[in-house]
Amino acid sequence: MSQLQTPPSRAALQRRNRPGTAPGAPAGRRPAAPPVRRRAAAAPRPSAPAGDADLGATTVEYAMVVLAAAAFGGVMAAVLSSGQVRELLAAIVERALGV
């Protein structure tokens, strides 16, 4: 044995040699049962109660945001394609380029 290792005590040797105990297991305890294997597919989760007030709220929120973004995009396209805004943008570009 190396200098860093100490020999096992007599109690440790007796526990190690006792049938039905794992090495290093505390005395007087039985070894743990093997883990139970689970089925490949989990059982379906129960659905939400019918009276749930928040059922589908997230989907509606996303739909409202998408509709608002589409409406804002339509308004911006209409404003930017109007004649007055087009002339204003052309004037800003001409002034910046010094044409």
Side-chain angles (χ1 to χ4, degrees):
M1 285 194 185
S2 71
Q3 294 176 347
L4 298 176
Q5 293 178 344
T6 59
S9 66
R10 177 179 273 173
L13 289 174
Q14 288 174 350
R15 277 193 304 263
R16 186 182 304 165
N17 295 332
R18 187 179 310 151
T21 59
R29 290 192 178 175
R30 299 178 86 180
V36 178
R37 292 187 63 186
R38 299 182 79 174
R39 291 183 292 174
R45 292 177 23 184
S47 61
D52 192 2
D54 291 334
L55 189 62
T58 305
T59 305
V60 173
E61 290 170 2
Y62 283 126
M64 295 300 291
V65 168
V66 169
L67 286 174
F72 183 74
V75 169
M76 290 300 295
V79 167
L80 291 176
S81 65
S82 69
Q84 293 176 344
V85 174
R86 189 175 289 174
E87 290 174 11
L88 179 65
L89 290 175
I92 291 173
V93 171
E94 287 177 4
R95 193 174 357 161
L97 295 177
V99 177

